[in-house]
Amino acid sequence: MGTWDIGPFDNDTAADFAGDLDEATMEELESMIRRVLKRSADPADYLITPDAERAVAAAALVAAQHPDGEPACSNYGPSEPLPELPAELRMLAVGALDRVVDERSEIVELWGEATNGPRWRQGITRLRDVLDPPIPPQEEALFEI
């Protein structure tokens, strides 16, 4: 089937990754998520679609544990609970998401041609904003210089 919607687990690769997480021991989960994020955050290589799909899914799991995050639950996400992931994974997830939407990413090309491409990109931006909230602009200066 490939990809059926824009969500982090709405494709075969991410759903398979969720299945791998469900089959892993509790001790293996963090390292599996970290490995996926590190591989995708590496700026040296062209990012192929399967790596990008796993990275988005892993980033969604990290974001789900953030106080402002939304549950990463879907019919295709992990069915088993995850341990508390270290907060340091947030910046690694941000780096991976930045690479997913980079010009050297195959998936950004594919979604660029799709009808739901803008909605997919908005979903990536929402995940990134949870992990690394943008600084709101200051409306007026508190004092003059």
Side-chain angles (χ1 to χ4, degrees), residues 29-52:
L29 295 173
E30 178 190 332
S31 66
M32 290 173 70
I33 291 168
R34 182 182 302 276
R35 194 169 36 252
V36 163
L37 294 172
K38 272 187 168 182
R39 183 176 331 138
S40 298
D42 183 2
D45 297 323
Y46 182 76
L47 186 61
I48 62 173
T49 296
D51 287 344

Side-chain angles (χ1 to χ4, degrees), residues 63-71 90 126-127 129-131 133:
Q65 291 189 355
H66 187 281
D68 296 329
E70 297 176 13
R90 292 177 188 161
R126 273 194 306 277
L127 277 177
D129 287 349
V130 166
L131 295 164

